[in-house]
Every structure is written in structure tokens, then in C-alpha cells.
């Protein structure tokens, strides 16, 4: 893969320009200053002249400059930009961040986790991480076991990104086998920080989806842990919803969405029991007072409907009329006690859910990245895409272009090698749509075969 890095520039004769010589002098002066140790908090001398925030900023700035293509020409001279220097500098920064994960200072460790999160989400680093995965896994294990709430939450997010980088092969499975019991323990620990539990819920679902999709035992264990959390929002014996403390709806939403993601891996025999057991109780949760939890519930209902209709095209739940009435009420909600933005977001989502359940209509969404496009044309595909987008954030486009894992999941094939002639001849929207649909259907058939194998185990 191209490594877009920026090095020192010179004139055509090969000698450095006056501007570059001045820059080198300034860099020497700065490096001399930063090597002088500064007094520590207790009067001692510190080991580094750069702060944790500076290090995080440096890593992010390096990756911003590194995202350019290797074939970019130097403006004015037409010479290729030298990338090797910047590549080495970036890897040095990453090594420093990995070292800082073992620092005694909580602030330093948290800053290192954040720096690595930015780096992992913005670039594909498989080759760099392959030989360091065990060291990073040990550091994440330590942060999850001994860190505070913020450190645990950041470490759990980095667990997902590490699995995204390593993919679903033996390396990713090795990492997940170590971290799964710890993530499950924090998730189900009622005394743990809510932010840490929420982050662990997402991490458990994502890591299992990536690294243990073919392991029926791990899949069932992860789904069981996630289910044990969000059933706390299910109605009580008298039919009323329980009162929950502040922050719990966000945890319930995260656990429910992670569980829904794993439902897409389950065989048909398992889907039948999931739908019959959860759909009526999820319908009752549409009355929740938290808008984000209501939306998560509505999307999960639509996803379960889609899974059930894959098995039986005529599927309808037992009390479909009551469900549609509840969805209509939320799709036209004008309650002034709710925030305007919440009402708008809720109406939009529940109109889509209602149209799908009544008429199997789905508002197709087009996602552009580079010269390629994927189409989100179902609730399963939508849950998968937004699960990755939530953890990769703005880096999702880069990973869709270059990460083999995401390209395999969305049926995109090998990463494209783009040149000017390819950019000049774009294929039509219809051709792209047909290609994406055919690729996703082919992948679904392949995964159905794997589901059948898991069904025997389950």
C-alpha cells in the first residue's frame, strides 16, 4: 500500500535551498531545547520535554500529512515528495505511544490511548501492528483491569480498533480470546463506571463480530452477556417499564445495538427463538422516556423483522396492528415536552421502520468514498455500517478504501489502484448499484452456509 509521507525538499540540482537550511537550523535548535530535562512535579527531572498532549497532537498531525497519495507531485518542481522520512517519524511516534501505555502516570496512559485511537482509526497499520500486537494486547489488558473509568473506556475502544486492523484471521482471534473475558466482566459489573460499561458493550459486540463470527460458543456467550444488560429495560411483571438511574439508557442502547449486530450472524433456527422471545418485549420498550433508546429499539425491531422475513417472507408478529399503531404514534410525535431535534430525529427513523414493517420499503442510503460507492439497502447492512462508522468516525472512508476486512464485509473486493485514466472514466450509478448488490448477495449466501454449520453446534 502507498505510504503518503512528506520529506525534505531541495532544488533541482540536489542541493538544499536556503529555506530548507534555515529550517534545519531551527529544528536543531528546537531538538537541543527539548532534550534538556524539565523539573518534575516533585522537583525531580522529567524524562521528556514534550507533554502528553503534544505527543497526541504530533501523531494526529503526522497522520493528517501522511494521508496523501505516494504519487503526489511537488508543486512548482514536479518532483515526487519523499515519504520515507515522514513514515519513520510517524512510526517513532507510535512506538512512543505504545511505550507510554506502560507509564505510571494515568494522564500519560490516557493520552497514549487517545493518540493510538486517532492513528488506528485514520490509517491501515497491519504490517506495523502485526509484530506488536501482543505488547499492545498486554497493555490493554492492564488498562482494563487496573485503570479507572476513563482509561477503561478508552482501552475498550482501542480493543475494537486493534481487531479492525488485524482482521478476522488468527491474529485477531488471538487478541479477542485474551480480551473477551475482561470486556464481559466490566460490562456485567454493576459497580463499574457507566462510560466504561458502555464502551465495553460496543467493544464486545464489534470484536466478536470481527474475530469470532465463526465460533458459535463465543458468539452465544457474547450475546448472553449483552442481553443480560439490556433486559434491565424490559417491562416488569405488571407490564410497566422499570425506572432506571441516569446514564443507564445509554448503556442499554449500546448493549442492544451490539447484540443486534451479532444477531446478523445467527442461523435461522436461532433467529426464530430470538424473534419470539424479544420482539413483544421490545415493542413495550417503545414507550421509554429516552429518545435514543427508543430509536435503538425501533431499529432493532426492524432488523429482527428483516431477519425473520429472510426465513419466512410472510412473517408478521402476533400483535402487528398494535406495533404499527405505536410506530405511527412515534413517527408523528408532536409532544412539546421533547426537544425539537429529538422529535425530528425520532419521526424520521420511525417513519422508515413503519414503512418497512407495513410494505417492506427501505430508504436506500448511498455512501461515497473515493471513486467507489456502497448502498445501504437493508436494516442488517445499515447496522453493520453504522457499527463500524461509530468506532472509525471520519476514518471510515479510508478504511472502506484500503482495509481488507471492511472490503470483504461489504463485498468490495481487493483495494482499487486508482490512476488518472480510471478517475476520468467513472461507471454509471446503475452499474455501481448492481455490482454492490450482487457482491453483497454473494457474501450473504456464503455466510448463510457458515450459519448452517453454526446451527449444528447451537
Amino acid at each position: 500500500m502507498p505510504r503518503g509521507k512528506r520529506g525534505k525538499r531541495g532544488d533541482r540540482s540536489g542541493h538544499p535551498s536556503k529555506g530548507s537550511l534555515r529550517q534545519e537550523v531551527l529544528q536543531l535548535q528546537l531538538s537541543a531545547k527539548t532534550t534538556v530535562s524539565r523539573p518534575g512535579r516533585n522537583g525531580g527531572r522529567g524524562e521528556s520535554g514534550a507533554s502528553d498532549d503534544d505527543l497526541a497532537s504530533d501523531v494526529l498531525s503526522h497522520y493528517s500529512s501522511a494521508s496523501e497519495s505516494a504519487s503526489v507531485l511537488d508543486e512548482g518542481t514536479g518532483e515526487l515528495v519523499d515519504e520515507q522520512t515522514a513514515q519513520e517519524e510517524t512510526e517513532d511516534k507510535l512506538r512512543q505511544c505504545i511505550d507510554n501505555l506502560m507509564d505510571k502516570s494515568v494522564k500519560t496512559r490516557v493520552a497514549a490511548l487517545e493518540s493510538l485511537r486517532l492513528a488506528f482509526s485514520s490509517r491501515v497499520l497491519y504490517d506495523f501492528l502485526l509484530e506488536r500486537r501482543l505488547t499492545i494486547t498486554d497493555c490493554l489488558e492492564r488498562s482494563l483491569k487496573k485503570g479507572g473509568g476513563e482509561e477503561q473506556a478508552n482501552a475498550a475502544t482501542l480493543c475494537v480498533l486493534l481487531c479492525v486492523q488485524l482482521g478476522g484471521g488468527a491474529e485477531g482471534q488471538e487478541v479477542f480470546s485474551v480480551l473477551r473475558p475482561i470486556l464481559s466482566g466490566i460490562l456485567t459489573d454493576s459497580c463499574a463506571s457507566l462510560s466504561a460499561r458502555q464502551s465495553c458493550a460496543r467493544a464486545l459486540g464489534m470484536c466478536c463480530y470481527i474475530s469470532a463470527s465463526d465460533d458459535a460458543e463465543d458468539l452465544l456467550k457474547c450475546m448472553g452477556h449483552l442481553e443480560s444488560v439490556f433486559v434491565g429495560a424490559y417491562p416488569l411483571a405488571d407490564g410497566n417499564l422499570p425506572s432506571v438511574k441516569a446514564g443507564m439508557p445509554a448503556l442499554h442502547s449500546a448493549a442492544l445495538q451490539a447484540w443486534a449486530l451479532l444477531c446478523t450472524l445467527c442461523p435461522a433456527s436461532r433467529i426464530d427463538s430470538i424473534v419470539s422471545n424479544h420482539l413483544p418485549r421490545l415493542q413495550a420498550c417503545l414507550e421509554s422516556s429516552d429518545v435514543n433508546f427508543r430509536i435503538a429499539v425501533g431499529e432493532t425491531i426492524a432488523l429482527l423483522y428483516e431477519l425473520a422475513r429472510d426465513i419466512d417472507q410472510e412473517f408478521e408478529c402476533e400483535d402487528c396492528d398494535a406495533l404499527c399503531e405505536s410506530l405511527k404514534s412515534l413517527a408523528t410525535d408532536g409532544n412539546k415536552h421533547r426537544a425539537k431535534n429529538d422529535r425530528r430525529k425520532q419521526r424520521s427513523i420511525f417513519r422508515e421502520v413503519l414503512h418497512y414493517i407495513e410494505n417492506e420499503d427501505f430508504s436506500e442510503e448511498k455512501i461515497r468514498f473515493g471513486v467507489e460507492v456502497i448502498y445501504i439497502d437493508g436494516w442488517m447492512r445499515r447496522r453493520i455500517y453504522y457499527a463500524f462508522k461509530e468506532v472509525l468516525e471520519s476514518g471510515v472512508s479510508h478504511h472502506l478504501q484500503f482495509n481488507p476486512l471492511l472490503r470483504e464485509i461489504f463485498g468490495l473486493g481487493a483495494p482499487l489502484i486508482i490512476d488518472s485514466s480510471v478517475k476520468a472514466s467513472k461507471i454509471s450509478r446503475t452499474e455501481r448499484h448492481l455490482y454492490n448488490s450482487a457482491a453483497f448477495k454473494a457474501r450473504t449466501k456464503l455466510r448463510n452456509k457458515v450459519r448452517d454449520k453454526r446451527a449444528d453446534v447451537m
Side-chain angles (χ1 to χ4, degrees), residues 130-150:
L130 187 60
E131 59 186 16
R132 298 172 177 84
R133 67 186 187 280
L134 297 181
T135 301
I136 297 174
T137 303
D138 288 342
C139 293
L140 293 176
E141 184 179 3
R142 189 180 301 110
S143 291
L144 288 169
K145 285 182 175 179
K146 299 182 178 179
E150 182 183 6

Side-chain angles (χ1 to χ4, degrees), residues 219 223 262-268 270-271 274 451 454 458:
L219 178 63
M223 291 185 72
L262 297 183
C263 283
T264 64
L265 300 175
C266 289
R270 188 73 180 176
I271 295 298
I274 287 174
R451 284 182 182 178
R454 284 197 300 267
M458 290 181 176

Side-chain angles (χ1 to χ4, degrees), residues 380-408:
M380 284 188 286
R381 197 166 167 88
R382 176 176 177 148
R383 177 85 295 272
I384 294 167
Y385 172 74
Y386 279 102
F388 280 100
K389 185 179 179 182
E390 186 174 14
V391 70
L392 292 170
E393 298 179 345
S394 60
V396 68
S397 296
H398 180 86
H399 279 267
L400 282 170
Q401 285 181 278
F402 301 112
N403 190 317
L405 172 71
L406 269 73
R407 296 189 67 84
E408 190 274 331

Side-chain angles (χ1 to χ4, degrees), residues 107-148:
K107 183 180 178 182
T108 301
R109 294 197 303 271
V110 170
L113 289 166
E114 176 63 13
S115 298
L116 291 172
R117 183 190 69 80
L118 294 171
F120 287 12
S121 62
S122 61
R123 299 289 289 174
V124 176
L125 298 164
Y126 178 81
D127 293 333
F128 177 82
L129 294 173
L130 187 60
E131 59 186 16
R132 298 172 177 84
R133 67 186 187 280
L134 297 181
T135 301
I136 297 174
T137 303
D138 288 342
C139 293
L140 293 176
E141 184 179 3
R142 189 180 301 110
S143 291
L144 288 169
K145 285 182 175 179
K146 299 182 178 179

Side-chain angles (χ1 to χ4, degrees), residues 301-311 315 356 362 377-382:
I301 288 173
L303 184 143
L304 292 179
Y305 248 82
E306 185 175 77
L307 289 169
R309 282 174 174 168
D310 278 351
I311 303 168
F315 171 81
Y356 179 75
F362 184 87
D377 53 6
W379 291 99
M380 284 188 286
R381 197 166 167 88
R382 176 176 177 148

Side-chain angles (χ1 to χ4, degrees), residues 14-171:
H15 300 292
S17 64
K18 291 181 181 179
S20 358
L21 180 60
R22 182 172 178 274
Q23 285 179 341
E24 290 179 9
V25 173
L26 288 172
Q27 287 173 354
L28 287 171
Q29 291 174 344
L30 287 171
S31 62
K33 288 180 181 179
T34 55
T35 53
V36 178
S37 297
R38 295 187 297 180
R41 181 177 293 180
N42 297 324
R45 301 183 78 82
E47 293 180 0
S48 170
S51 69
D52 302 325
D53 294 335
D54 291 339
L55 185 59
S57 177
D58 286 346
V59 171
L60 182 57
S61 64
H62 273 292
Y63 269 91
S64 297
S65 65
S67 62
E68 299 177 4
S69 171
S71 62
V72 175
L73 296 178
D74 184 4
E75 295 179 3
T77 66
E79 295 177 355
L80 286 174
V81 177
D82 178 22
E83 300 173 343
Q84 190 60 38
T85 303
Q87 174 72 19
E88 292 172 357
E89 290 175 357
T90 301
E91 291 187 356
D92 286 342
K93 295 289 183 183
L94 289 173
R95 290 188 193 96
Q96 183 61 54
C97 288
I98 293 170
D99 290 341
N100 285 350
L101 292 178
M102 295 174 275
D103 197 273
K104 292 182 179 180
S105 167
V106 175
K107 183 180 178 182
T108 301
R109 294 197 303 271
V110 170
L113 289 166
E114 176 63 13
S115 298
L116 291 172
R117 183 190 69 80
L118 294 171
F120 287 12
S121 62
S122 61
R123 299 289 289 174
V124 176
L125 298 164
Y126 178 81
D127 293 333
F128 177 82
L129 294 173
L130 187 60
E131 59 186 16
R132 298 172 177 84
R133 67 186 187 280
L134 297 181
T135 301
I136 297 174
T137 303
D138 288 342
C139 293
L140 293 176
E141 184 179 3
R142 189 180 301 110
S143 291
L144 288 169
K145 285 182 175 179
K146 299 182 178 179
E150 182 183 6
E151 185 176 351
Q152 287 177 321
N154 289 357
T157 300
L158 199 62
C159 290
V160 182
L161 290 170
L162 183 58
C163 287
V164 170
Q165 292 283 347
L166 296 175
E171 296 84 4

